[in-house]
Amino acid sequence: MRSMRAAIPDKAPGRAHTGEMRLTVWVRPGSARPGVGGEHDGALVVRVSPRAVDGQATAAALAAIAEAFGVRRVAGPVSRKKIVDVAGADQAVLDQLRAR
C-alpha cells in the first residue's frame, strides 16, 4: 500500500482526538536511535531498538506509535510493513511525524 489513509470523523469543538486512523507503518528493528518519524515508500517510519525476535520489535513499534500519538494502545500485525489502527489519533500529529 503506497499511500496512507486516514478516516477521521467530524471534529467536535474542544476535542483533540477524534476517532480512528488507519496508517501504513515501516518498522526498522535494531535501530541505535529509536523513534517515530520520517517516511519510507509512503509509510510512517518507526525505528525500534529490539531485533525482530519473538515479536519484540512489533511490541516496541506499537508502543512507540501509541506514545507518539498520545493514545493508550495500538493494534497491528506482525510484519515489517504494518497497517495499524490508531484510536483517538490526530491528523496533525501524523503530519508532524511524517515530516521528521
Side-chain angles (χ1 to χ4, degrees), residues 37-69:
E39 190 174 339
H40 173 82
D41 196 26
L44 177 65
V45 175
V46 179
R47 296 172 310 281
V48 296
S49 296
R51 297 276 178 196
V53 177
D54 296 329
Q56 293 175 14
T58 295
L62 296 178
I65 295 165
E67 182 179 332
F69 279 96

Side-chain angles (χ1 to χ4, degrees), residues 5 8 10 15 17 22 24 34-35 38 40 43 45 47-49 52 54 56-57 63 66 69 71 80 89 91 94 96:
R5 298 180 302 165
I8 301 175
D10 294 337
R15 290 185 61 191
H17 300 289
R22 178 165 284 178
T24 304
H40 173 82
V45 175
R47 296 172 310 281
V48 296
S49 296
D54 296 329
Q56 293 175 14
F69 279 96
V71 298
R80 178 174 265 206
Q91 180 67 40
L94 174 60
Q96 291 172 354

Side-chain angles (χ1 to χ4, degrees), residues 87-99:
D90 187 348
Q91 180 67 40
V93 174
L94 174 60
D95 294 341
Q96 291 172 354
L97 292 169
R98 290 183 68 198

